[in-house]
Amino acid sequence: MNGERGSWGSRLGFILAASGSAIGLGNIVFFSANAYKYGGGAFYVPYLIALFVVGMPIMVLEFGLGRYTRRAFPEAMAQVGGTRAEIAGWFGIFNATIITIYYITILGWVFGCLIGSLGPLWKPAQLEAFNLPAGALSNAMVFFFNMISRIDTVFWVIIVWIFNLIIVLKGTRSIEKAVKLFVPLMWLMMIVLIVRGLTLENGIQGIFLLFTPDFSIMRDAEVWKGAFSQMFFTLSLGFGIMTTYASYLPDDADDINNASTVSFMNCGFEFIAGLAFFSLLFTFSIIPKASTLSMMFFVVPEGIAHFPFGVMIFGCIFFLLLLFAGLTSSVSLVEAIISSLIDKFNWSRFRTTLLVGFLGVWGSIAFALPQVVDPGLDSNGTLGLSLLDLFDHWAFGYGLLIAGLLECIFLGWLFDLDTLRAFINKTSWFKLGRWFNILVRYVIPIIILSILAASVLEEYQLKLYGSTMNNTLCPKLYLIVFLIWLVICILIPITISHCRRPRHRDNQIETSL
Ligand code: TRP
């Protein structure tokens, strides 16, 4: 069976693939943006608590589930909890599909900037769509807004989709090849950027800024919410990815060791990215806006533009780093979708890959459409970006947490968690005690429920999210996007789960469970 579904050639291949999935755009810029917003080093406290209390336990759970069932996420859930659990599994996959679709659009923009960093990105230019005085925006900002207001961005998006499809075409074999190249290169490029950052005059001072904690922020519920939902995103949890990747592992894999290695690699990367960018920002007195997109496309490039030499080279390194980190993340979900469909419908990999690519590319193009509706720029500038923001609001803000909650409920309450725990312990050096049950059954669900409740309350108390946006399209769009999200994540999963499952060539699992 392993041969049919594919399996990792080595443990290293798996670790590189799983850490490649975890290390993505979020790690490179998000941490710096948030650490700056939420009191420098003090952000580490909620962050580390989120890592140990929620992140690592859920990763162990997802790895264990994949190895136990040897199926991609929805089928794996179906095997431990029947049709209802399968619906929850597809919910996770479709919710993550939405995230992947706009994540690939962002990667298309990264690709455009990579090409731009060979020259035009650093040169002053006129902002085509608006009459702003020269010098009102940095060169990188002008380049970015000009780029996303042109139709040719769609071309970059299609190219990134093609990269994704090529990497997953041969399943684990091709993914393993890609991650063996991209992940080490990613680390290398990050190290180059740190050395550059720290050797800038005053670069070290930036690090002090990062480590001068303002503990008062810990009273702010938003900080905790930020840390916990980011932990899901950064570790690729609630996407169904880790279960799918673990389903290709051999019988004797150590889930706890693997989960610790992947989480530490992920958080280590995030940490050193913080060092690189804080030194750079401090040296050039740039105040980071706490948004991942502006860090990526405006703030860091602006810093690089100030370098005394090698602007083009360091610019290319930065955008290549983003592209590699993003690709190894996006392929993990494209693989999770393909593998889920193959496990459910027994389709061929080639056809499934083409189908997923064909449908997905239209979605990513929709996010890249160059309709400039908001010349204020503060709230992002284009319909594409507003749409992206709205989908992100539901799929990232709520969807990932809901997927994690459903996982804990099905595995913790509706399935005999002790069986899974014993299965994980059998091949692990570190043994999970009964405390693990308490975490999965009570602690994590209570944390997730509190965050969700706080978010819903905020949604109603403060304002309808859409009305905070500058353009009139948004309040309506806000509801439309919500409905689309519901249809994609609930109606389609219910329908798929009720489709009859073609008999698997191998039904050992069904009988052995
Ligand atoms: N962990 C990634 C990050 O920090 C996010 C991610 C992982 C992702 N897999 C993905 C995003 C698949 C979109 C699609 O950036």
Side-chain angles (χ1 to χ4, degrees), residues 31 34-46 48 205-219 223 278:
F31 185 81
N34 260 11
Y36 190 87
K37 183 169 158 198
Y38 298 134
F43 185 63
Y44 278 115
V45 178
L48 287 175
Q205 308 291 335
I207 312 284
F208 290 133
L209 185 67
L210 180 61
F211 288 112
T212 311
D214 166 11
F215 286 106
S216 63
I217 53 119
M218 238 101 80
R219 270 173 269 135
V223 175
F278 263 68

Side-chain angles (χ1 to χ4, degrees), residues 38-67:
Y38 298 134
F43 185 63
Y44 278 115
V45 178
Y47 178 85
L48 287 175
I49 293 179
L51 171 66
F52 287 107
V53 178
V54 175
M56 284 173 57
I58 294 209
M59 192 180 286
V60 169
L61 206 62
E62 294 200 355
F63 280 167
L65 178 68
R67 231 166 34 80

Side-chain angles (χ1 to χ4, degrees), residues 222-235:
E222 170 129 351
V223 175
W224 291 90
K225 196 179 121 191
F228 281 101
S229 31
Q230 172 61 15
M231 199 45 71
F232 270 86
F233 186 74
T234 187
L235 292 180

Side-chain angles (χ1 to χ4, degrees), residues 227 273 428:
S428 291

Side-chain angles (χ1 to χ4, degrees), residues 1 19 48 52 68 110 151 170 209 220 230 257 323 340 412 422 428 430 439 450 481:
M1 173 185 57
S19 68
L48 287 175
F52 287 107
Y68 184 61
V110 168
I151 190 78
K170 293 262 153 57
L209 185 67
D220 187 351
Q230 172 61 15
N257 189 335
L323 186 68
S340 303
S428 291
F430 180 90
L439 269 187
S450 324
V481 168

Side-chain angles (χ1 to χ4, degrees), residues 21-22 24-27 99-100 103 233-234 236 239 241 329-330 332-333:
S21 168
L25 301 179
N27 300 63
I99 299 182
T100 312
Y103 197 83
F233 186 74
T234 187
S236 304
F239 285 75
I241 291 173
S329 295
S330 61
S332 65
L333 196 89

Side-chain angles (χ1 to χ4, degrees), residues 464-498:
L464 207 61
Y465 173 83
S467 65
T468 63
M469 310 211 50
N470 260 353
N471 60 66
T472 48
L473 259 175
C474 281
K476 250 188 268 153
L477 256 188
Y478 164 88
L479 283 177
I480 296 174
V481 168
F482 176 59
L483 291 177
I484 299 178
W485 177 69
L486 282 185
V487 168
I488 296 180
C489 296
I490 299 186
L491 282 191
I492 300 184
I494 293 180
T495 316
I496 293 193
S497 304
H498 285 88

